[in-house]
Amino acid sequence: MKPPPFEYHAPRSLPEAAKLLAELPDAKLIAGGQSLMPMLNFRFIAPSHLIDLNGIGELSYIRKSTDTVAIGAMTRQRDLELSSIVAAQLPVMREAVGYIGHVQTRNRGTIGGSLCHLDPAAELPAIAMAYDAEVDTVSIRGVRTMTMADFPAGYMTPRITADEIVKEVRLTAWHGRHSCAFEEFARRRGDFAIVSVVVLLSAGPDNRITRVALTLAGIGVAPMRISNAERLLLGKLPTTAAFEEAAAVCSTAEASEDPYASAAYRKYLIRTLTLRALNRAAQRLTAAR
Amino acid sequence: MERVPFVGQPIPRLEDDRLVRGHGQFVDDLAFPDTLEAAFVRSPHAHARILAIDAAAARAVPGVTAIFTLADLSPLLRNERLPLQFRNSQLPLNITPYVLAKTEVAFVGEIVAIVIAESRYVAEDAVTLVDVTYEPLPVVADCAKALEPGAPLVHLERPNNLIAEFTQAYGDIAGAFAQAPHQATLRLKQHRGGAHPIEGRGVVAVIDETENRLTVWTSTQLVHEARAFLMTLLGLDENRLRVVAPDVGGGFGAKFVLYPEEVAVAVSCLRLRRPIKWIEDRREHFLAAIQERDQYWQIEVAFEDDGTLLGIRGSLIHDQGAYTLQGVNLPFNASSAVPGPYVLPAYELRVYVAETNKVPTIPVRGAGYPEGTFAMERALDCIAQTLQFDRAEVRRRNLVPASKMPYTVPLRTRGESLIVLDSGDYPRCQRQALDAINYSTFRERQRRAHSEGRFLGIGVANGVKGTGRGPFECAIVRIGRSGQISVYTAAMCMGQGIKTALAQICADQLGLRPDDIAVVTGDTAVISHGFGGFASRQTVTAGSAVHLAAIAVREKAVLIASHILSTPVQDLEVRGGRIYKRTLPTEGLTLRELAEAMSGVPGYALPADFEPALESLQYFKPTGLAYSMASHAVEVEVDIATCNVRIVRYVAVNDAGRIINPMIAEGQIIGGIAHGIGNALFEWMGYDEQAQPITTTFGDYLLPGAMEVPVIETFFHESVSPLNPLGVKGVGELGCVPAAAAILSAVEDALASFHIHITETPLTPNRLFALMFGDQPAVLQSGQSPSRT
Amino acid sequence: MEHTHKVAITVNGQEREVAVPARLTLADLLRHHLHLTGTHLGCEHGVCGACTVLVDGAAVRSCLMLAVQAHGTKVETVESLSSLGALHPLQEAFMKHHALQCGFCTPGILMTLVAFLRDSRGVTAEAVRDALSGNLCRCTGYQNIVNAVLHAADHMPK
């Protein structure tokens, strides 16, 4: 299983990379390589050119500003796992990153790569969705920003053109008293999730839910926010009954089917994981008082 | 002072130092000058005619040396098909694969052409450019469907897809069912699974022009068999062909056969006169390395009011795959393993061996015994459920008691000997397993957990494994003129520590330490005959041969020393590399000096009635299989909200006879159980309706990882086998035999309130969900008994 | 002939420079160009971990890295553990606790564990199994590997 031949380019800056991507026919970007290299080794793809982003230091950063945390596309998943900014500002990302593959994967894998690969069950796209992220892309035509909600165009297809490079993802941190929980179900430690659920939760002094973000991954072609379940929870007390109602709504989402997990089983898992995530988030909220 | 023998000690392994340093020499680590690398053009269709092969564009790729099809290699082959590994006049002709496909491909991955280039990278480039024109043909994707009237043919030239049919039977089965107060029917499906050693297959063929000899280095479990078949195919004799195994990174059955790929590489080497290397990648292992199963079982069990077995009868449809490489050993083993450690008065199983358009099947670790055991254990659980008896108690009532050993099961092994459970105390092993897992207090723990909304379950299963298969194994023990003690044997290393075990056995007889002894295995150049590593045979056969050879050498050495030292034999001690007078230790000879003397060196007169050389070649021919036994008790927790099964505790009581090295034996058990966990819960080798493999990566086909295998608590009960001078039994596969049965019995117990019946392996959460909340899927596709089409 | 790129890597403390095609994997560079065959290939798609090496101290799957991507880095393979002759405490522990059988997955596991022991604060059986979850072993069932690591952790210099 050896990769097919390609011409290799290692730009040192983002403008250089953008120029190469615009000019070279049939080119692919390589970031962490944890998704791309298997595809090359299996010869599922055979690009004529490979543009390596690993030499562009300016693409790797984690910066906190007032409302957001900006993360450069080439930031390694392992750095997200160990970052004190992520732990403080984006706690559910901190919780989820440990589920991405294994340490070996996370030492190379990047947030940009994960977003662009857009596996339906991947953790980072779901986290970005949960945090109402914005994604910046760069090309020779300039910078473009889109919301994470707009980012997925279809199954494993981000809404970016062939000459665009994802540069940064900005996640909007939650302030004030809030809690979060991440739940995923996978067959073995480190496997791709079958489904996962991300919950962010805020409540007022009366303990009624003031804000909730409910994101499902693995059920459809891309992670999705379940806004009708979120609306259901607003203003309610964080009781199991309320959560069961929300979980039931989540499990009505249309689910994909494959030889490993039927649609019915996926929905069943979603229901379980949504309930567990909401309960855990609620317990953490109480504990944080 | 009596010396503590090495046999029975958990000494560290001789194999380890180089392996742990990364200095192992596995087949891809071998480097010969001017080596070319091979890749194969493989069929993308499960069944098709080959209309044309156009390699022109591929040949033009820079760095490509040659591309061969069967037509190109035929002039160098005595036969276009591989020989059948286990000769069997009952089987039709022409059921083995071609060296490269001829006019018809019969499974996805079958090799059609070999591409030889300066590197694997370039060879793979060229493979993509070989243009093969296929005419797709109807596909047989299921072994039960293969036997239905009107089923398509797996091979166009055959009359039907049934290549063998036989019955295992004894006792009055009709009578057993006629008088039975109870009967139950079970339909089981045991799914295909792979061997997947972490090192795949690989071969390097090298011609030594000076020696005029072809050497084939191959990651194999059987160098002598491989050489025998290659000699037949290539028309070479023993002086012209050497087959050697380098370090082998696991076998588990996948390397227990000579493959078309190995032959194609060897022939290509003869043709090109340059070293050629082929290293299988994981995708190729998924497509073209042997697998085990599918099997459809339909059995009825007849039993008494007290839960004792009266009889089992039924049918087994076995998926042979597209070709037969060995014979019907796998379904034979599976069908003869059903009685297991139990008293089964009557038995009748009609076995149908069907071809399908999938990769061939042969034994993987367990070799059919797990399948037969699964059937019996499910039947026993069925009895327990029907009568509302405790499942362990039902087993206890049916286990062969110690007083009945040796116990004859009126079935024959493939070697034609009767199945005789030679030694053991099976009820005691089960008792020990139950005690260790606190079986008696489990119901209370289960009730408490249930009141908390948790679902715990417990399962018990027993199995036996016939080990030490013949016809023989041999060993040479030699004290060389250098003084080096060497053991040469056809035994094969693949990680199971056989070198250390053999060194321990030899050391004890010669008064040495194991690391004084060089054990040389897996090379046809050092010993002329033998069979290799499979079916848990080597400790028994090679071990006994080494034992006998070492004794013969010691006896000869002592006789010579007695002559040279003018001392009676009984007054001599053999220890520490010397033979000396017990009463005067300073007066003696080193083994090296003795070897020198026996080499005819002037200074030591060679006595007239002594044969030269201090060495002995011994064969050990087993008269019957030595049966090891295991009793597993497993506690599981089922998370009904996700249908995930977690193993809470795993206890395995093992009787593998006298244990040469307890540390190694325990390692074999744990490894076998890990594989059993895979068979039970994870390893589904999936195909679609067109016999296209679905699970072709390690992301889809799931081997258990460190978080999925729990701590295994092992206990050993050593019942000395009377069948060999060491009293040993094989242990390599034992862990695998009852594992799936025990685990799935525990899951059923955990979910008793859901009234599910687990009839299929592996049990994935997806499948468990369907069992708990949906319709049980039909297992047998046809309602009728299978028949010839 | 494919176009080659100059790659300068420090491997096990030694500076090496080779010219290799872009598509050559780091694993193949180590094994076939630098003759460090201790690192093995088990799957070439990033699951089995047999190819694990350390790149700038981090455990990575060398089958998923191009050799050109390792230009300018420090790579450590299993051969570095006993390069001065004596066995690393982990290797000693592996031998003592029967933590290897066929030995094919062992180098990758050793390198994963070297990184784990360097980075981790708490070495428990659970943490070790978690660290091992990216390495597949078909022989041992992992138990003795865990035992070896727990033993070695007590005896390793920090």
Side-chain angles (χ1 to χ4, degrees):
Chain A
M1 277 167 56
K2 307 299 182 190
F6 49 79
E7 275 187 54
Y8 174 78
H9 311 267
R12 299 260 126 218
S13 73
L14 197 48
E16 192 188 340
K19 187 163 182 293
L20 283 168
L21 192 56
E23 289 170 359
L24 295 170
D26 185 32
K28 271 206 110 43
L29 298 167
I30 184 163
Q34 303 303 290
S35 304
L36 192 76
M37 284 299 295
M39 290 169 71
L40 284 169
N41 289 347
F42 274 116
R43 298 195 180 217
F44 291 154
I45 54 169
S48 306
H49 298 272
L50 213 63
I51 301 168
D52 192 340
L53 298 175
N54 285 279
I56 307 176
E58 66 187 276
L59 275 178
S60 185
Y61 53 87
I62 304 171
R63 288 181 203 133
K64 171 182 161 355
S65 61
T66 326
D67 290 316
T68 63
V69 177
I71 305 176
M74 284 301 291
T75 307
R76 306 282 178 197
Q77 290 150 7
R78 183 70 171 149
D79 291 332
L80 297 174
E81 196 178 349
L82 300 173
S83 158
S84 51
I85 295 176
V86 169
Q89 302 299 317
L90 309 170
V92 85
M93 173 184 277
R94 174 71 150 79
E95 195 180 339
V97 172
Y99 286 88
I100 301 175
H102 306 97
V103 167
Q104 297 101 319
T105 324
R106 301 196 289 278
N107 277 331
R108 293 290 298 169
T110 64
I111 186 166
S114 178
L115 285 175
C116 290
H117 191 65
L118 208 54
D119 184 281
E123 292 84 355
L124 286 173
I127 296 294
M129 195 74 86
Y131 277 112
D132 296 309
E134 283 187 332
V135 179
D136 287 349
T137 62
V138 161
S139 70
I140 52 170
R141 295 170 284 114
V143 181
R144 184 168 74 88
T145 301
M146 70 185 117
T147 62
M148 190 60 205
D150 282 336
F151 185 76
Y155 175 68
M156 297 184 76
T157 310
R159 203 178 305 275
I160 57 178
T161 58
D163 66 342
E164 283 183 307
I165 303 170
V166 168
K167 173 195 181 293
E168 175 179 291
V169 54
R170 269 182 314 285
L171 300 96
T172 311
W174 284 36
H175 296 301
R177 182 174 156 249
H178 74 278
S179 71
C180 60
F182 175 81
E183 290 276 343
E184 111 167 10
F185 183 76
R187 289 303 321 274
R188 302 171 303 178
R189 190 80 175 96
D191 279 348
F192 280 108
I194 296 179
V195 292
S196 59
V197 175
V198 189
V199 164
L200 286 157
L201 198 62
S202 268
D206 60 353
N207 216 27
R208 288 189 180 272
I209 294 167
T210 52
R211 186 179 175 197
V212 60
L214 242 179
T215 313
L216 309 181
I219 193 153
V221 302
M224 46 175 117
R225 290 276 293 272
I226 311 297
S227 40
N228 48 351
E230 292 173 359
R231 275 194 298 274
L232 211 60
L233 288 168
L234 288 175
K236 293 230 170 71
L237 287 167
T239 61
T240 301
F243 291 159
E244 273 172 357
E245 208 187 344
V249 168
C250 287
S251 70
T252 62
E254 201 174 306
S256 53
E257 173 123 1
D258 63 34
Y260 313 100
S262 66
Y265 177 54
R266 274 194 162 79
K267 286 159 171 284
Y268 185 72
L269 284 174
I270 284 289
R271 193 175 183 140
T272 297
L273 298 183
T274 304
L275 192 57
R276 286 183 179 173
L278 285 167
N279 275 324
R280 216 148 45 79
Q283 280 160 26
R284 284 170 168 173
L285 205 57
T286 313
R289 221 183 235 155
Chain B
M1 191 181 79
E2 268 305 303
R3 195 194 71 151
V4 179
F6 285 102
V7 166
Q9 304 276 339
I11 67 162
R13 302 189 328 164
L14 305 178
E15 291 89 333
D16 285 357
D17 186 87
R18 19 190 313 279
L19 293 174
V20 102
R21 290 175 189 269
H23 293 169
Q25 287 283 286
F26 298 90
V27 68
D28 193 29
D29 302 335
L30 303 175
F32 298 96
D34 291 332
T35 299
L36 295 165
E37 291 210 61
F40 288 97
V41 176
R42 295 182 179 274
S43 169
H45 300 287
H47 193 200
R49 268 200 195 88
I50 301 170
L51 298 177
I53 302 175
D54 181 359
R59 286 203 176 90
V61 172
V64 169
T65 302
I67 300 181
F68 297 134
T69 62
L70 183 63
D72 298 313
L73 298 178
S74 275
L76 287 164
L77 288 166
R78 291 293 193 277
N79 206 308
E80 291 182 331
R81 287 190 192 259
L82 268 61
L84 190 63
Q85 189 170 339
F86 301 138
R87 242 185 318 222
N88 184 332
S89 55
Q90 247 90 54
L91 292 173
L93 295 172
N94 298 327
I95 54 176
T96 61
Y98 286 98
V99 172
L100 290 166
K102 191 161 183 167
T103 54
E104 191 179 327
V105 287
F107 68 94
V108 173
E110 184 171 357
I111 52 176
V112 172
I114 182 170
V115 173
I116 296 157
E118 68 185 23
S119 76
R120 176 73 181 205
Y121 287 74
V122 171
E124 288 190 17
D125 293 344
V127 164
T128 62
L129 294 175
V130 176
D131 186 11
V132 184
T133 311
Y134 295 100
E135 178 198 323
L137 294 168
V139 166
V140 178
D142 175 82
C143 58
K145 288 205 170 98
L147 300 177
E148 283 172 10
L153 291 171
V154 171
H155 296 278
L156 296 179
E157 64 189 15
R158 281 228 235 304
N160 56 57
N161 301 318
L162 181 72
I163 63 146
E165 186 181 340
F166 57 89
T167 301
Q168 303 270 29
Y170 64 82
D172 178 10
I173 195 70
F177 275 83
Q179 53 150 319
H182 305 278
Q183 281 186 40
T185 303
L186 293 99
R187 287 188 169 82
L188 306 171
K189 180 174 179 183
Q190 303 191 56
H191 219 287
R192 266 178 180 255
H196 291 285
I198 304 299
E199 183 205 27
R201 302 173 290 157
V203 58
V204 186
V206 187
I207 287 189
D208 186 327
E209 300 288 3
T210 314
E211 294 189 341
N212 189 20
R213 181 168 69 173
L214 173 67
T215 299
V216 177
W217 296 83
T218 176
S219 190
T220 186
Q221 294 174 232
L222 34 56
V223 291
H224 284 82
E225 292 284 271
R227 183 173 75 159
F229 299 142
L230 283 170
M231 288 194 295
T232 310
L233 286 167
L234 305 177
L236 298 171
D237 64 41
E238 286 85 349
N239 300 321
R240 302 270 79 75
L241 177 60
R242 174 187 177 210
V243 180
V244 200
D247 288 318
V248 174
F252 310 113
K255 300 171 182 176
F256 171 33
V257 72
L258 182 74
Y259 283 93
E261 287 95 335
E262 291 167 281
V263 181
V265 168
V267 180
S268 299
C269 176
L270 285 179
R271 173 92 188 243
L272 295 175
R273 316 300 292 185
R274 277 177 69 178
I276 300 183
K277 175 189 269 194
W278 170 67
I279 302 301
E280 176 185 64
D281 61 38
R282 189 56 51 181
R283 183 180 153 267
E284 291 180 281
H285 193 88
F286 274 107
L287 295 184
I290 57 89
Q291 297 170 6
E292 209 190 43
R293 305 177 297 270
D294 291 335
Q295 289 185 353
Y296 289 99
W297 293 69
Q298 188 170 345
I299 55 174
E300 298 167 283
V301 54
F303 51 103
E304 288 280 21
D305 290 323
D306 67 353
T308 52
L309 290 160
L310 286 169
I312 288 179
R313 70 181 174 196
S315 66
L316 160 61
I317 305 175
H318 174 81
D319 183 349
Q320 189 79 331
Y323 296 99
T324 297
L325 288 158
Q326 294 186 329
V328 292
N329 48 328
L330 178 50
F332 195 102
N333 280 357
S335 54
S336 58
V338 172
Y342 300 106
V343 176
L344 180 64
Y347 180 55
E348 184 191 77
L349 195 76
R350 297 176 322 282
V351 183
Y352 303 93
V353 182
E355 287 181 315
T356 60
N357 287 116
K358 294 178 180 173
V359 68
T361 60
I362 70 160
V364 172
R365 193 171 197 169
Y369 284 75
E371 288 92 310
T373 300
F374 187 73
M376 170 59 94
E377 293 293 323
R378 294 277 69 212
L380 291 169
D381 280 349
C382 203
I383 292 175
Q385 219 215 3
T386 307
L387 300 174
Q388 290 292 290
F389 285 174
D390 175 77
R391 286 166 297 146
E393 176 59 19
V394 167
R395 284 162 172 80
R396 190 195 66 78
R397 291 180 187 186
N398 284 286
L399 280 171
V400 175
S403 57
K404 283 214 166 94
M405 304 294 272
Y407 181 79
T408 301
V409 180
L411 288 175
R412 302 223 163 242
T413 68
R414 282 192 299 110
E416 296 289 299
S417 58
L418 277 175
I419 294 178
V420 179
L421 305 174
D422 54 287
S423 55
D425 187 344
Y426 302 157
R428 179 190 155 154
C429 287
Q430 179 176 285
R431 229 173 18 251
Q432 192 178 3
L434 298 178
D435 285 343
I437 207 165
N438 300 317
Y439 190 81
S440 55
T441 57
F442 177 75
R443 288 297 159 215
E444 183 47 46
R445 292 205 301 282
Q446 187 183 49
R447 260 192 296 274
R448 237 182 301 124
H450 200 249
S451 67
E452 294 164 14
R454 293 167 53 222
F455 292 78
L456 295 183
I458 201 158
V460 176
N462 302 297
V464 297
K465 180 73 180 61
T467 71
R469 189 178 289 284
F472 63 85
E473 200 46 89
C474 42
I476 298 168
V477 172
R478 172 179 298 146
I479 302 177
R481 282 185 69 172
S482 64
Q484 175 64 51
I485 293 84
S486 303
V487 171
Y488 302 98
T489 169
M492 306 284 309
C493 296
M494 58 200 79
Q496 78 285 50
I498 190 69
K499 274 192 186 175
T500 301
L502 296 179
Q504 287 175 257
I505 292 167
C506 183
D508 278 353
Q509 297 310 319
L510 295 178
L512 294 163
R513 289 188 346 264
D515 49 12
D516 293 326
I517 298 164
V519 180
V520 181
T521 61
D523 186 347
T524 58
V526 305
I527 193 165
S528 63
H529 286 80
F531 289 89
F534 50 91
S536 306
R537 65 186 298 274
Q538 297 189 135
T539 306
V540 171
T541 57
S544 295
V546 168
H547 178 76
L548 295 172
I551 288 173
V553 169
R554 188 191 70 221
E555 283 173 354
K556 186 175 186 182
V558 167
L559 264 176
I560 297 157
S562 161
H563 172 87
I564 294 174
L565 297 172
S566 304
T567 305
V569 159
Q570 56 268 35
D571 294 344
L572 291 173
E573 182 81 25
V574 182
R575 192 187 291 208
R578 296 176 69 238
I579 300 183
Y580 54 87
K581 289 182 177 174
R582 200 173 285 112
T583 52
L584 190 61
T586 48
E587 199 166 312
L589 294 157
T590 65
L591 292 177
R592 180 187 173 153
E593 286 168 332
L594 281 164
E596 280 275 317
M598 296 317 293
S599 300
V601 171
Y604 287 113
L606 204 61
D609 51 349
F610 279 122
E611 289 211 344
L614 207 45
E615 63 185 58
S616 175
L617 163 66
Q618 295 291 325
Y619 295 86
F620 178 72
K621 294 180 291 187
T623 51
L625 298 181
Y627 281 85
S628 51
M629 182 261 184
S631 192
H632 290 190
V634 185
E635 190 177 312
V636 304
E637 177 162 1
V638 182
D639 179 353
I640 64 163
T642 59
C643 301
N644 194 45
V645 174
R646 181 178 72 91
I647 299 174
V648 174
R649 276 191 75 188
Y650 204 117
V651 167
V653 176
N654 310 281
D655 179 354
R658 185 159 165 232
I659 299 294
I660 305 294
N661 186 316
M663 193 174 71
I664 291 177
E666 185 199 55
Q668 292 303 297
I669 294 296
I670 296 172
I673 290 174
H675 200 141
I677 292 172
N679 289 339
L681 301 174
F682 291 98
E683 295 184 41
W684 177 66
M685 183 60 214
Y687 287 81
D688 69 12
E689 296 282 297
Q690 289 300 306
Q692 290 284 335
I694 298 171
T695 54
T696 54
T697 76
F698 273 157
D700 304 320
Y701 184 87
L702 307 179
L703 299 187
M707 299 285 282
E708 288 76 51
V709 181
V711 170
I712 314 286
E713 300 163 60
T714 60
F715 303 86
F716 281 84
H717 170 74
E718 296 185 27
S719 69
V720 173
S721 175
L723 298 179
N724 60 74
L726 291 167
V728 298
K729 303 177 183 178
V731 74
E733 295 168 283
L734 184 61
C736 212
V737 174
I743 294 167
L744 296 183
S745 180
V747 174
E748 233 180 53
D749 181 58
L751 300 174
S753 50
F754 287 83
H755 304 292
I756 59 160
H757 291 288
I758 299 169
T759 58
E760 220 174 309
T761 60
L763 180 73
T764 61
N766 186 46
R767 194 168 283 148
L768 182 56
F769 173 80
L771 281 177
M772 288 167 69
F773 304 111
D775 294 342
Q776 253 208 24
V779 169
L780 260 189
Q781 308 308 312
S782 68
Q784 320 301 307
S785 315
S787 57
R788 283 185 188 275
T789 49
Chain C
M1 274 303 289
E2 277 176 71
H3 174 68
T4 58
H5 298 254
K6 255 210 202 77
V7 176
I9 313 187
T10 306
V11 182
N12 299 337
Q14 251 198 324
E15 282 167 20
R16 308 294 299 262
E17 197 177 284
V18 277
V20 296
R23 61 169 167 162
L24 185 80
T25 62
L26 176 59
D28 284 336
L29 172 79
L30 294 167
R31 289 179 48 72
H32 298 297
H33 292 249
L34 301 182
H35 309 295
L36 294 165
T37 57
T39 304
H40 301 137
L41 289 173
C43 76
E44 293 181 292
H45 54 278
V47 183
C48 79
C51 67
T52 305
V53 299
L54 304 188
V55 175
D56 290 336
V60 302
R61 305 185 191 282
S62 61
C63 71
L64 298 188
M65 240 181 112
L66 299 170
V68 290
Q69 292 182 304
H71 176 71
T73 65
K74 288 192 169 60
V75 176
E76 294 165 86
T77 70
V78 66
E79 287 91 343
S80 70
L81 300 182
S82 58
S83 55
L84 298 174
L87 290 173
H88 186 280
L90 251 183
Q91 290 170 316
E92 298 259 13
F94 266 49
M95 287 179 62
K96 185 164 179 195
H97 292 269
H98 189 35
L100 63 149
Q101 292 185 21
C102 80
F104 195 77
C105 73
T106 306
I109 286 186
L110 284 169
M111 298 319 287
T112 295
L113 291 170
V114 164
F116 166 69
L117 288 170
R118 274 182 201 165
D119 298 341
S120 77
R121 264 153 282 155
V123 182
T124 62
E126 176 86 10
V128 174
R129 283 180 184 267
D130 187 63
L132 286 173
S133 59
N135 293 76
L136 292 177
C137 175
R138 195 48 153 169
C139 293
T140 66
Y142 309 100
Q143 186 157 317
N144 288 340
I145 299 175
V146 176
N147 293 339
V149 179
L150 293 176
H151 173 97
D154 288 338
H155 291 76
M156 266 175 67
K158 252 308 173 176

